[in-house]
C-alpha cells in the first residue's frame, strides 16, 4: 500500500505532462501508469518478484472492481475474512499452509509407546495434526495453539463436533510455557526459527523434543532428520 501511495505523486506528474501534450488521458491510462510506477518502485526496493506483478495489476483490479459496481459490503466482508485468516502474519511471517497425514504419522512414531505424552502443535492451523494424534494416541494429552481467529475457530468446532479430546486454544505460542510438553511440533517459517530455538532451549525439559517440519535451526544442527515419505521435505528433531 505504501508503494502504491508513493507512486501517486509521480503518476499525477506524468498524467499532467501527458495532458499538456494533448495525449488522451482516461482512467485506464492512469491505472496503467500507476501500476508501472508501483511495479518499478517494487523492483527498486528489492521486494520478491511476485510483488511486481501484484503492484502492476492492482490499479487495474481496482478499476475493474469499480466498473463491476460491486456492493461496498463485499469489500468489508473480504477484508474481515482475510483478517480472520491471516491475522498478524505481517508480524509473525508465518502464514497458513498445512502439513499432511504422512508427516503426522511420522511424528506419532516418535512418541514413547509405553508412557502418555503431552504434545502441542504451535500454530495448529485447521487442527489436522492435533485431531489425528489425539485419535491415534488416546493416552496422550494433545493440544494446539493458533493465533489466527478463523483457523482456530474451525479447529475448535471440528474438535467439538467430532467429540475429540483434542484441546485448541487461541493465542500466541510465544506466551506458552514449553516446559509443560514432551513434544513440541512446529511447522512455521524460517523467520520464526531463531526465536523459537531460543525459547525451546530456555524452557524445554530434559527428555523432551522439538520437531520442526521443513525448517531448520541455524544455531544447532538437528539431532535426527526424518523423511515422512520418500522425497518429502524433512522433519528435524532436537532432543533436550
Ligand atoms: C504453516 S501453518 C501450520 C499449520 C499446522 N501446524 C499444520 O501442520 O498443518 C502455521 C500456522 O501457525 C500460526 N502461527 C504463526 N505464528 C503463531 C504464533 N506466534 N502463535 C500461534 N500460532 C501462530 C499461523 O497462523 C498458521 O496457521
Amino acid at each position: 500500500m505504501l508503494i502504491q501511495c508513493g507512486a501517486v505523486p509521480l503518476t499525477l506528474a506524468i498524467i499532467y505532462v501527458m495532458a499538456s501534450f494533448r495525449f488522451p488521458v482516461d482512467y485506464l491510462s492512469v491505472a496503467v501508469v500507476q501500476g508501472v510506477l508501483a511495479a518499478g518502485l517494487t523492483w527498486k526496493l528489492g521486494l520478491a518478484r511476485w510483488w511486481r506483478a501484484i503492484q502492476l495489476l492492482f490499479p487495474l483490479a481496482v478499476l475493474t472492481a469499480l466498473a463491476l459496481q460491486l456492493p461496498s459490503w463485499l469489500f468489508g466482508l473480504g477484508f474481515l475474512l482475510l483478517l480472520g485468516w491471516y491475522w498478524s502474519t505481517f508480524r509473525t511471517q508465518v502464514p497458513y499452509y498445512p502439513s499432511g497425514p504422512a508427516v503426522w504419522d511420522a511424528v506419532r512414531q516418535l512418541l514413547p509407546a509405553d508412557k502418555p505424552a503431552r504434545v502441542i502443535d504451535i500454530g495448529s492451523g485447521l487442527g489436522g495434526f492435533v485431531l489425528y494424534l489425539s485419535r491415534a494416541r488416546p493416552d496422550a494429552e494433545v493440544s494446539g495453539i493458533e493465533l489466527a481467529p478463523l483457523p482456530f475457530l474451525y479447529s475448535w468446532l471440528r474438535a467439538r463436533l467430532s467429540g475429540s479430546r483434542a484441546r485448541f486454544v487461541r493465542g500466541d505460542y510465544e506466551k506458552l510455557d514449553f516446559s509443560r510438553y514432551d513434544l513440541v511440533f512446529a511447522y512455521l517459517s524460517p523467520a520464526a526459527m531463531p526465536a523459537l530455538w531460543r525459547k525451546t532451549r530456555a524452557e524445554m525439559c530434559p527428555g523432551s523434543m522439538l520437531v520442526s517440519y521443513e525448517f531448520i535451526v541455524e544455531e544447532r544442527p538437528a539431532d535426527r532428520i526424518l523423511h515422512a515419505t520418500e522425497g518429502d521435505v524433512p522433519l528435524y528433531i532436537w532432543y533436550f
Side-chain angles (χ1 to χ4, degrees):
M1 264 342 273
L2 286 176
I3 286 176
Q4 287 289 341
C5 293
V8 166
L10 214 53
T11 301
L12 292 178
I14 290 175
I15 293 297
Y16 179 77
V17 173
M18 280 167 71
S20 40
F21 281 99
R22 297 191 189 287
F23 264 76
V25 171
D26 55 11
Y27 284 127
L28 184 62
S29 47
V30 176
V32 170
V33 172
Q34 167 75 16
V36 169
L37 287 175
L41 274 178
T42 305
W43 168 72
K44 205 70 196 130
L45 291 172
L47 270 75
R49 273 167 41 188
W50 44 272
W51 272 113
R52 290 179 221 163
I54 293 177
Q55 300 284 23
L56 179 71
L57 297 176
F58 181 75
L60 291 167
V62 171
L63 257 195
T64 312
L66 286 174
L68 291 174
Q69 298 200 317
L70 298 171
S72 53
W73 60 261
L74 210 58
F75 295 93
L77 181 67
F79 173 75
L80 287 179
L81 287 176
L82 290 172
L83 183 69
W85 187 259
Y86 289 106
W87 205 241
S88 44
T89 299
F90 66 90
R91 173 179 69 80
T92 61
Q93 302 283 298
V94 186
Y96 172 74
Y97 31 83
S99 54
V103 170
W104 308 339
D105 199 55
V107 179
R108 178 189 63 79
Q109 291 179 44
L110 294 169
L111 292 175
D114 52 347
K115 69 176 175 98
R118 287 158 302 173
V119 180
I120 184 144
D121 181 358
I122 50 169
S124 45
L126 300 183
F129 169 68
V130 175
L131 290 166
Y132 166 83
L133 196 61
S134 56
R135 239 186 353 259
R137 282 295 298 264
D139 61 324
E141 190 189 294
V142 193
S143 51
I145 182 163
E146 172 57 53
L147 202 51
L150 274 189
F152 156 73
L153 192 64
Y154 183 81
S155 58
W156 183 84
L157 278 174
R158 273 176 93 186
R160 293 287 84 72
L161 296 177
S162 64
S164 167
R165 295 168 37 258
R167 193 169 148 263
F168 289 100
V169 197
R170 203 204 74 77
D172 190 337
Y173 69 75
E174 285 170 24
K175 301 208 171 88
L176 274 185
D177 177 4
F178 282 4
S179 68
R180 295 177 47 228
Y181 303 99
D182 302 302
L183 188 153
V184 172
F185 174 68
Y187 185 24
L188 298 170
S189 82
M193 296 310 286
L196 175 64
W197 177 246
R198 283 194 294 278
K199 184 169 171 62
T200 47
R201 212 181 42 186
E203 294 178 9
M204 289 191 73
C205 295
S208 64
M209 65 183 112
L210 167 68
V211 181
S212 169
Y213 182 46
E214 192 169 341
F215 303 112
I216 57 162
V217 164
E218 295 285 352
E219 290 88 333
R220 196 181 109 182
D223 297 313
R224 192 173 163 198
I225 299 178
L226 278 182
H227 291 265
T229 53
E230 218 179 273
D232 192 8
V233 292
L235 272 162
Y236 298 96
I237 302 144
W238 292 266
Y239 296 103
F240 293 90

